[in-house]
Structures are given as structure tokens and as C-alpha cells.
Amino acid sequence: MSDAIPLLGYSDKLSGRPGDVIGFKVSSYLREDFSARLVRIISADPNPDGPGMIEEEVPSAFAGNYPSRAQPFFPGSYVRFEKRLELEAGRGLTLEAVIWPTLINGQQQVVLAAGEAALLLNGDGSLGGELGGYRFSTDVPLKERHWYRVRFSYDPARKQVTLWQRVTGPTGDVGEVVSRSAGASVDLGKEVAVSIAARQVDGPASGHFNGKIEAPAIYASFEPDEAALLARFDFSADISTTKVKAVGPAELHGNLVNLPARGMTGSLWDGSEHCWRHKPEHYAAIHFHEDDIYDFGWETDFSFTIPEDLPSGVYAARIGSGEHEDAIPFFVCPSRQGRLAPAPLCVLVSTFTYSVYGNHARPDFAPSWKDEFARWGAYPHNPAEHQDYGLSTYNYHSDGSGICHASHRRPLFNMRPGYVTFGYGPGSRHRHFQADSHLIAWLHAKGCDYDIVTDQELHDDGIEAIRGYKAVTTGSHPEYHTAETLDALQGYRDAGGKLLYLGGNGFYWRVALHQSEPGAIEIRRAESGIRAWAAEPGEYYNAFDGAYGGLWRRNGRPPQALAGVGFSAQGQFEGSYYRRKVEKDDPDVGWIFAGINDEILGDFGLSGGGAAGFELDRADPRLGTPDNVRVLASSEAHGETFVLVPEEKLTHITNWPNEPEQDLLRADMIYFDVPGGGAVFSTGSITFCGSLPWNNFDNNISTLLGNVLDRFLSD
């Protein structure tokens, strides 16, 4: 790779407990060895106006030098078969499929290949065929995003090749094109490699197809004769898996590579059913992309067995050689057996959100952004400049379709200490991993003992992952959740737990995890919400678990029902302040403001310049905010870029809450008690945590959070 980053790595897991083994995979184009060491991350923000980057060296068994080696990766999805297909000499061959091409890009794309024979989409968009050294074309370009039944046949007796295409769809087949060529003579009698959506024999696959493929089939005859069927591949079966089931005597079952999208509408879909589980024959297509990527598949260079005595926290394997360096973060959770003196506080790290945003190439990125970052000593690489490393679900595939799969089993540039998200706005301009380190740095500065639990443990272990903690707190942006993680948080809260929601736009999108591919996450951006792209009609149900995707609000679980507030407005990455709404000596909630005489809270901060900004959540009883909620403070004076979120809009002049729109552009800081002894404190703003380190952690936001935690941890 000509633009390959000289030194880069990733881990096979983002988190683990004592005794778990984490493997680190490194690609180095350098001639010298690289070194590896373990550090604990306290602050990942390089902004000199804040605490700066803070890391502690930690002894580890893997510390040392390792030989450099370049490890390539191969994007593009397709179907791979371990078994080969036996073709008989003298018999004909037909390759057939139904296709919906989405990108005519000047490159030859493989629909179905069997040894020396292939059914193709030529660079000009015409249907093509390949047989030994012969190439064929209809010279009639197919249209993107139209369904076609296509066929490539060879008759060895007549030495004739036929290409055939017909426009098809739920109303039937129309518009036929036939192209015949004579003179081809190829002996097909041998065992051959078969592949779908690319050509793959022994090495890396090539000629990746962009678009949907349905019902590919191989016949040992010049016509699609059922008596001569070798294999027909039913993509409507086992949709939640990576398995491809074959019908026919060849028993040629395959496996998907790089997770193309399943549960996609096929040529028969007519809108009569929107869930693939109810009418799978309407969802018999797979959408392949030349840039699909799931797991880079690099070999492990060194491993780390988490020791029993390593404190729970945020860590990284730092690798370096000369001027080149990288840091591979991971999270250490407590032992399942607990510890002798368990931490009173659990910090829930939003690794699902980190992965979903992983390698987000912002459309407004400008190389000039990096000039200031360099002065800070910030992380030097940006996914917008290295899009071949795989993008996020906030980006598009090369064919214009939205990316619906995320994975951490590849280097994630924006999950690096020192990475800066924005090139504009006040403060540090961080999100996610780096922004959450403002909370971690604050906990260390205040001497607050804590454990780390990530979304993965919460999903896997449910409420048991957080049971026993006096309080559980989120970071700045816990946006993506499974039913299991929400159930665990709801169960913890309702069983007497104290929950702190220190962010905005939380508990918003529903995601699904793949049952066999570790780290794979699916998001279907269905119907509503602030969306980077919109799912196609009929494709709102997850393939991974068959559940309706999209907003949790549209799944009957609005964020207000858990945390008391939910997404209301968004603007540029800038922050404002809160205005206190209760008296300091209020008998029920006055303790939250102990030591604070200010009416204005958080008119400062490293994130956007203020504690209330960027993405704002408000209380709304109609969406589940409890009747006993107390609005402690609300934000105001937001800039002109702030708008109401789409799910709240009805027309250009009306909205769902039926209130003046300007009144809805706010963050509500709230508190409420839960029957059974539980309680919830929510801030309703993504930029809240960025105000904690301000003025060396001495400010009214820091004092306020300290008051809440002191009460929660002492109960």
C-alpha cells in the first residue's frame, strides 16, 4: 500500500477481565524493530488548556521489542467456498443470477465465477462473460439500482456462448437482451474454485461486485435445466449467519467474507411485508460492496494476560519505532469474583458507540485542521485521509449505500489518545473516547475509586455486570444500545441503584451484535432520527437478530423512560450554560448545589466552551419522564445552528410536543428518585464532562458532580 501508515495496530478485544487474554496485531512498514509497553490512560486530551495527556507507565510481561512486518488487509465482501466443484468434460455450463448493480465504475465486477468461467458486469456496465481466454459482452449497459435476471451459458458441442439478460421485478420479467458468440472451445472437465461477488481461488479476492445478488445458480448444461442443477444458493436461508446454503447435488455450502448486508429486499419484494422473518423469499438478496471490511485478519504480534492485581481502568499498548508511534486502547474490568474492597462506583464505557463511530471520516474535514493539532502533539492520522482502512457507519460505501456494520477488529484512528475530532469551535473539540477521559481525569483528581465496565460486559452479563455498585455513571455519549444493555441498566436502577447519565443523545439507537462474528455491530437507520444515511424501504429490520432497528423511541423505549431526558436538539460543536431552576436551600434537592452560589452553571469548558452544548436532551412526561422529576437547571442562549431533532418535527411550522420550537432547544439537568431506593441524575448534554477539568478541576460543575457522587456513594 503506497499510502500505508508506517506503524499501526489493533486488539482482538476492547475489554477484558483478569485472566482474559488480549491479542495485539501490528503492521509495521519500518525496517527496525518496534517496542511495546503498557500505559494507563488518565487523560487523552492533548489540549494544553486542560490537564493535557496523562499516562502512567505500568510494568507488563509483553514489554519489549518485536520484529517489524507489514500486514496487508483486503476489503471487499464475497462468498467463499472451501470445497471445489467437479465439472464433467463435454457437458455444458450455465451461470445464472438475479442482480441489482449499484456502481458501474469502469472496473470488471464478478457476479459468479466457476473456474475459467465467470458471469460478469463489465466496466461499461454491460453484462459480460469470461471463458478461458475468451471474453464476451452484450454491449448493452445495465442501469444501476434496477433488477435483472442474467445468464452466461456455454455449449461445448456447438462451441457457442450465450449472454442473456432480462429486466425483472415483483411484477414479472420484461425487456430481454440476448447475445450469442461462436468459436469458443474450452475443456471444463476438472475441479474448479467457485466464488460469488468476486473471483477468489488461492490468494486475495478480486473483481468485487457492488450491488445485490439473488439466487445465483450453476448448471451442468447449456440451458438452466433443473435436472442438470449443480448448485443454487438460497440467500433467504440463515439470514442471521455468515453461512450460504446450497441446494443441489454438489452440496457447495459457502461462507460470507467481510460481512455484506443480509436481510435486504430482493427482486420479489413488493412492500407487502417489511420484516424478513415473515416473508424470507422477499429478502433473498445480499448486498455486496467492494469496500466492506469486518476483520483485518492480522496475525498476533504479542498478547497480554490481564493480571489479577491490575486495577480496573483505561489502558493502552503503546508501540513505537523512532519517530513513529501508536497506542492501542483497551479497558480492564474487575474480576467476576470481585475484589476484597470493591469500588463503590462503576463507569460504563460506551464501546458500542466507539465502534459505531469508528473511523468516521467527517465530510467537512480539511487538512489545515491538523496544523493546530500538531502544535498540541495530537494524534497525527485522520480517517478522512485514510479511507481505505474502512469507514464508520456515519459514512457511505463507494456505491452510495449507507454503511450498516461496525467493527473494532481493525485500527480505529478516532479511538486513539490525542485524536481531535473537529477543526473548529472552542476548546478541545473531542468526542467519545477522548471526551470521556475528561471524566476519568476528574475521578483521578478527586481520588474517587472506580471500576470500568463496558457495553460488552453489560450486554453479555446483564445486571450482574453492575450489581453491587452504589452508583453507575455513563460518559458523555452512550448513544448505541442493545435490548440487553438497556434491560441491565433499567434493572439496576429499579433494584435500588443510583444512575448518573452525564451526556446527551444517549440510549438513542438500537443495535444488534452478530452471533458468531466477535465485535460486529449492526445499525439500521430506520425512518426517523438524525441520520447520516437512511435505510432503504423494507430494510428496517436487523439481519443479525431480526429485530426492528432504528430509534429506541420507535421501539417503545424512549430515553426519557430510563434517564428522565431524551434527545431534543443539536447544533455545531459549541457549548452554552445552564441556569439553575431550583432554590439553593430546596429541602429535596438543595444538597446538589452545596457550596455553589452561582445561578449560571458551566459557562466554561474544554468541550465547545460550555457545559451545555452540541447535542441536548430535555425532559418530557409524554415520553416517559417520571412525574416526580425535578428539573435542576436548563440551558439557554444556544447559537443559530441549533435545530430540533427530526423525530420532534411534524411540518415546517409544527412539532410533536406542540410547543414553541425555541423552548425545545435546551438541555435539562434533572434528578428523580425511583421506588425501591434508586435515583437518577442526568445532565442532558454531551459537553457536560468537558467542563469538569476546567480551572484545574475547581469550578461549579465539578462541585455539583462531586455533591451528587458523595450522596450516591454514601447511601
Side-chain angles (χ1 to χ4, degrees), residues 17 312-313 332-339 341-348 449-454 457-458 462-473 489 492-493 495-500 677-679 709 712-715:
R17 299 182 186 273
S312 180
V332 173
C333 305
S335 169
R336 284 186 173 83
Q337 286 71 42
R339 49 181 177 161
L345 175 66
C346 172
V347 177
L348 179 62
D449 192 16
Y450 67 91
D451 280 341
I452 292 283
V453 168
T454 80
E457 289 75 34
L458 197 63
I463 193 174
E464 293 305 318
I466 53 178
R467 191 189 300 277
Y469 289 105
K470 291 186 175 181
V472 172
T473 184
L489 289 170
Y492 169 82
R493 189 201 77 170
K498 307 297 195 298
L499 178 64
L500 297 93
L709 267 184
F712 280 6
L713 299 182
S714 64
D715 283 351

Side-chain angles (χ1 to χ4, degrees), residues 589-646:
V589 294
W591 55 271
I592 295 174
F593 299 98
I596 301 173
N597 296 316
D598 310 312
E599 183 178 346
I600 301 301
L601 307 169
D603 55 342
F604 50 80
L606 297 178
S607 292
F614 189 47
E615 294 180 340
L616 312 174
D617 294 6
R618 75 168 201 282
D620 192 330
R622 291 160 296 185
L623 289 171
T625 300
D627 293 339
N628 65 330
V629 74
R630 295 296 303 275
V631 178
L632 308 171
S634 294
S635 67
E636 58 187 35
H638 294 289
E640 294 181 355
T641 65
F642 281 77
V643 296
L644 200 62
V645 294

Side-chain angles (χ1 to χ4, degrees), residues 23-236:
F24 295 91
K25 293 100 176 352
V26 178
S27 178
S28 173
Y29 286 80
L30 306 172
R31 294 182 178 180
E32 302 80 14
D33 290 353
F34 68 88
S35 63
R37 56 193 175 93
L38 178 64
V39 296
R40 185 173 187 179
I41 298 174
I42 309 301
S43 173
D45 180 358
N47 184 355
D49 291 337
M53 299 272 287
I54 303 175
E55 296 180 354
E56 297 176 348
E57 194 89 17
V58 180
S60 70
F62 69 74
N65 294 328
Y66 297 87
S68 288
R69 58 172 173 176
Q71 300 209 60
F73 57 94
F74 305 101
S77 56
Y78 63 101
V79 184
R80 178 173 58 201
F81 300 89
E82 300 299 331
K83 182 180 176 182
R84 295 200 168 208
L85 178 65
E86 181 74 34
L87 296 181
E88 295 182 32
R91 298 194 68 180
L93 180 69
T94 293
L95 305 179
E96 184 182 60
V98 179
I99 64 173
W100 193 71
T102 54
L103 181 64
I104 296 171
N105 59 5
Q107 305 294 317
Q108 187 183 79
Q109 301 177 47
V110 176
V111 176
L112 174 61
E116 297 181 80
L119 176 61
L120 310 167
L121 185 68
N122 289 321
D124 63 356
S126 63
L127 186 67
E130 195 169 273
L131 187 67
Y134 303 95
R135 293 191 176 183
F136 310 91
S137 174
T138 61
D139 297 322
V140 179
L142 280 64
K143 294 181 180 180
E144 293 179 353
R145 300 173 67 87
H146 284 67
W147 284 106
Y148 296 87
R149 184 176 299 276
V150 295
R151 188 180 302 149
F152 173 56
S153 300
Y154 173 55
D155 183 349
R158 299 180 183 177
K159 299 182 180 180
Q160 179 177 297
V161 165
T162 300
L163 281 170
W164 175 88
Q165 68 190 52
R166 178 179 285 173
V167 178
T168 189
T171 59
D173 295 346
V174 296
E176 184 176 81
V177 173
V178 181
S179 174
R180 293 186 175 89
S181 303
S185 180
V186 177
D187 181 11
L188 296 176
K190 62 184 75 173
E191 280 191 345
V192 299
V194 174
S195 55
I196 302 172
R199 178 181 278 106
Q200 196 271 334
V201 182
D202 296 317
S206 61
H208 293 281
F209 182 77
N210 292 282
K212 296 180 184 179
I213 299 178
E214 177 182 312
I218 305 173
Y219 300 87
S221 61
F222 179 57
E223 297 289 344
D225 181 358
E226 289 299 312
L229 176 69
L230 295 175
R232 179 185 295 112
F233 305 97
D234 182 6
F235 292 167
S236 70

